Amino acid sequence: MTALLDVSGVSRSFRGLRAVNEVSFAVAPGEIVAVIGPNGAGKTTLFNLIAGALTPDDGAIRFDGRDIAGLRADRRCRLGVARTFQLVRPFAGLTVEDNAIVGALARTPDVAAARREALAALDRLGLADRRGLLASQLTLPDRKRLEMARALATGPRLLLLDEAMAGLRPTEIDGMVSVLARLNRETGLTIVLIEHVMRAVMALAQRIVVLHHGEKIAEGTPADISRDPVVIRSYFGEAAA
Amino acid sequence: MTDWAGRMAGDAPPRALPLLAALLAALLVLPAIVDSYVLSIAILVLYFAYVGQAWNIMMGFAGQLSLGHSLYVGLGAYASAVLFVHHGVAPWIGAFAAIGAAIAAAAIIGALAFRFGIAGVYFALLTIAFAEFTRIGFDHFPWIGGSGGLFLPVARHGESEFWMLRGPPVMFYYVILSMAAMAFAMCRLLMVGRIGYYWRALREDEDAARALGIDIFRYKMLAILISSAMTAPAGVFFAFYYNTLFPEQIFSMLRSIELILGPIIGGLGTLFGPILGAFVLTVLAEVLNEVLAALGWEIPGARQVFYGLCLLVVVMYLPEGIWPALARRLGLERRR
Ligand SMILES: Nc1ncnc2c1ncn2[C@@H]1O[C@H](COP(=O)(O)OP(=O)(O)OP(=O)(O)O)[C@@H](O)[C@H]1O
Ligand SMILES: [Mg+2]
């Protein structure tokens, strides 16, 4: 099966700092892949490169067989790449419903149809009863949910989630895990998630990519990764310390 | 047609429609019940409601601060007046040239600013610069009167008065009333359509908007083009109502500021804000004038100081503007 997302030899530097260094990995349609690594490993930068917020210095990014590395973020969204931001960025002055409608309008110019899509997405994330509130009135966990609902409303084929669970309580994490698992099962949505919450990673990911200092140091199933000595030293070791 | 009407009504609060109808009815019969002085003030109010609505598209909807909208008023005024004075072209035809001139200027400003990511204060400065350059250019352009001004002949023969916009104030009143009503309807349509959602999204957060599939450059361009095209007919009206044009006046920064006060005080990004703001500012300033005249005081700049005070009060006590607060009082909040 051809990959939905194929990242090959992608690099990006900031003033000499190699934030992402020749990273390659592929994601098959319908797969859930986790990207883990210590703070500053380059995870968010990698997402920015895939979603189009940044352009790579080097390497190719193929989505559904097409090279998208040169496309603007909005074009990539319309092709089916949606992302959430690690630091949530809701449209604060818009209602929860209008936030989601903006997302849904990526698929249809018809506002009434977009509203239906938006409500379905809000419903999935359990935000339907808060749709009339301003986004600025939401709690942080709800803002994270809104961020996801809005991305989901764009009708993506690939969803990039940047630490969607951070700051959630354990029960909320379990809730989010089941939402994502259901989404993946029911719609075949492909998901790549950056996550520090190992409980969520182990529950969701079929495969894990480990970044460290901008480089991919390991890749494999959750079972492989949790036994990998390199990973344990560079990542779990630090986290446990 | 029903689809259009449905979209217009859309999610409007149920009490808004009768209220709007009552307001329109009152405005329609107004000339029959007021004297010429009140009528002249009503014309001013509607004029500012109209340009305020046009400017609100840029700032209120799309979040782009233009401090140079006098440029589009002036270009519209001069384009239609020159065609009329030199070629006898009716203003209804001249309006197309007016809109074309404004759109051309807006396209240059927009392409420059939005392509190169000039935003916020720098964008505002750029809009001022263009208006100022144009003012100086027009000052030195004798064919259109230069700094000495351009004057429209007051009466012409052979053509219907309405077609040439030569007539009594009551005619101008109905013209500007129609313009304001159309601007309101158009803004409402824009606001409830995809474009309105996209404008508000990019106003709130450009990066997030881009991630949701919005072509930022395109939607900012649409904002400045539509706003300028809507502003130009105000210039046509101005030219034919006042019959005299001076670059010094029409392109002046003061004019740009004057036309943004209404929407700011009334409520940025709302449909009623520009109307309410125009009403409050114009009427209160007129009352102030009367009071000062009655007292026999002659205070240069009193109007500007008064505008400043209004702005101060609103910014301090009603930072969203008067309309959102009033709407809550009247139970006219958008359904949530
Ligand atoms: N726009 C930028 N300009 C300069 N440096 C940047 C920029 N974005 C990221 N960096 C740097 O690149 C490195 C990788 O950052 P990145 O945000 O990708 O890490 P991360 O893995 O997402 O970390 P975290 O777990 O803390 O979110 C860091 O050293 C960061 O300071
Ligand atoms: Mg990060």
Side-chain angles (χ1 to χ4, degrees):
Chain A
M1 192 182 274
T2 61
L4 180 65
L5 176 71
D6 183 6
V7 175
S8 59
V10 164
S11 300
R12 171 72 197 220
S13 303
F14 297 112
R15 287 176 258 103
L17 171 87
R18 284 279 225 185
V20 170
N21 195 2
E22 294 189 23
V23 170
S24 302
F25 71 101
V27 182
E31 209 178 3
I32 299 183
V33 173
V35 176
I36 66 171
N39 293 114
K43 305 181 297 292
T44 297
T45 305
L46 180 64
F47 263 27
N48 283 335
L49 293 170
I50 299 170
L54 294 171
T55 44
D57 300 332
D58 226 330
I61 299 169
R62 263 181 292 277
F63 180 70
D64 202 16
R66 172 173 176 183
D67 189 356
I68 59 167
L71 296 181
R72 282 194 321 259
D74 55 285
R75 296 281 308 123
R76 297 193 204 188
C77 171
R78 282 170 192 272
L79 289 176
V81 181
R83 64 93 52 94
T84 66
F85 292 91
Q86 182 174 356
L87 299 170
V88 289
R89 309 180 76 151
F91 302 124
L94 271 57
T95 62
V96 168
E97 177 175 326
D98 285 354
N99 266 270
I101 289 176
V102 170
L105 285 168
R107 284 287 162 266
T108 167
D110 177 19
V111 174
R115 178 170 284 120
R116 284 191 294 276
E117 287 299 314
L119 289 178
L122 290 173
D123 205 31
R124 263 195 193 277
L125 273 300
L127 280 174
D129 59 329
R130 260 150 286 184
R131 65 176 183 271
L133 293 179
L134 289 179
S136 57
Q137 295 172 308
L138 294 181
T139 60
L140 182 66
D142 278 346
R143 284 182 210 200
K144 294 223 157 194
R145 291 192 185 97
L146 175 58
E147 187 94 358
M148 282 175 59
R150 199 172 62 173
L152 212 54
T154 66
R157 297 168 63 197
L158 172 66
L159 182 60
L160 306 169
L161 300 174
D162 196 346
E163 298 199 22
M165 319 267 180
L168 299 191
R169 287 194 296 266
T171 51
E172 293 171 328
I173 290 171
D174 292 343
M176 194 68 102
V177 164
S178 67
V179 166
L180 292 176
R182 235 185 84 200
L183 204 60
N184 172 258
R185 196 170 59 240
E186 288 173 6
T187 67
L189 180 68
T190 311
I191 300 172
V192 179
L193 56 138
I194 293 176
E195 204 49 73
H196 282 302
V197 179
M198 290 317 289
R199 170 195 182 90
V201 172
M202 291 304 170
L204 282 170
Q206 291 143 25
R207 215 146 42 80
I208 299 177
V209 171
V210 188
L211 291 189
H212 191 47
H213 293 316
E215 293 184 33
K216 185 174 91 174
I217 57 167
E219 177 177 345
T221 64
D224 296 340
I225 293 298
S226 56
R227 281 193 303 264
D228 190 318
V230 180
V231 176
I232 291 166
R233 196 165 55 246
S234 70
Y235 184 55
F236 292 111
E238 284 174 36
Chain B
M1 185 63 205
T2 49
D3 174 51
W4 185 83
R7 276 171 61 193
M8 285 297 291
D11 61 346
R15 287 163 75 179
L17 291 176
L19 207 79
L20 197 59
L23 177 65
L24 190 63
L27 288 172
L28 280 171
V29 299
L30 189 77
I33 42 181
V34 301
D35 62 13
S36 64
Y37 169 66
V38 175
L39 192 69
S40 73
I41 293 169
I43 290 172
L44 262 188
V45 169
L46 288 170
Y47 173 84
F48 281 115
Y50 178 86
V51 283
Q53 205 78 263
W55 177 81
N56 197 34
I57 289 178
M58 286 280 300
M59 183 60 196
F61 293 2
Q64 306 303 307
L65 177 58
S66 166
L67 292 179
H69 257 50
S70 66
L71 171 64
Y72 312 124
V73 176
L75 286 176
Y78 268 99
S80 58
V82 165
L83 284 174
F84 178 70
V85 171
H86 291 308
H87 305 287
V89 176
W92 301 99
I93 306 296
F96 289 99
I99 292 171
I103 283 184
I108 295 170
I109 297 174
L112 259 176
F114 304 145
R115 190 54 87 196
F116 298 105
I118 297 172
V121 177
Y122 301 100
F123 175 72
L125 286 177
L126 187 75
T127 61
I128 295 174
F130 268 85
E132 285 293 288
F133 282 145
T134 312
R135 177 180 63 80
I136 294 163
F138 274 56
D139 263 345
H140 298 89
F141 198 176
W143 186 62
I144 53 166
S147 57
L150 181 66
F151 303 90
L152 283 75
V154 172
R156 278 181 69 95
H157 302 290
E159 302 269 6
S160 96
E161 291 202 317
F162 180 67
W163 180 240
M164 286 298 179
L165 272 190
R166 310 283 72 194
V170 69
M171 182 197 77
F172 284 99
Y173 173 82
Y174 282 112
V175 168
I176 195 69
L177 175 59
S178 317
M179 285 168 65
M182 284 194 298
F184 179 90
M186 179 154 161
C187 283
R188 166 82 189 158
L189 270 183
L190 290 170
M191 200 175 180
V192 298
R194 169 149 85 168
I195 198 170
Y197 279 91
Y198 276 10
W199 279 338
R200 279 178 290 153
L202 74 86
R203 175 191 76 194
E204 297 285 324
D205 188 328
E206 284 188 21
D207 291 331
R210 207 178 275 114
L212 294 173
I214 301 175
D215 182 346
I216 303 291
F217 176 73
R218 178 170 172 196
Y219 280 89
K220 283 186 178 176
M221 280 306 279
L222 282 171
I224 196 171
L225 293 177
I226 293 173
S227 177
S228 67
M230 241 171 101
T231 306
V236 180
F237 179 86
F238 187 99
F240 285 76
Y241 182 57
Y242 289 109
N243 296 315
T244 51
L245 294 177
F246 298 98
E248 211 56 57
Q249 283 183 5
I250 198 150
F251 290 112
S252 93
M253 173 128 183
L254 208 63
R255 274 276 139 72
S256 292
I257 300 295
E258 207 172 55
L259 73 85
I260 78 176
L261 290 177
I264 292 176
I265 286 174
L268 275 177
T270 67
L271 289 171
F272 282 99
I275 302 172
L276 188 63
F279 178 80
V280 168
L281 275 181
T282 312
V283 171
L284 287 185
E286 230 27 74
V287 169
L288 178 81
N289 264 358
E290 291 296 299
V291 170
L292 290 181
L295 292 171
W297 293 354
E298 184 80 52
I299 307 175
R303 202 182 181 101
Q304 276 68 40
V305 171
F306 169 73
Y307 284 161
L309 285 176
C310 283
L311 204 57
L312 199 68
V313 168
V314 168
V315 167
M316 281 174 62
Y317 296 104
L318 298 168
E320 286 175 74
I322 303 174
W323 174 250
L326 186 65
R328 274 194 291 276
R329 280 272 168 113
L330 296 175
L332 288 176
E333 273 187 302
R334 195 163 299 287
R335 67 156 184 79
R336 289 241 153 108

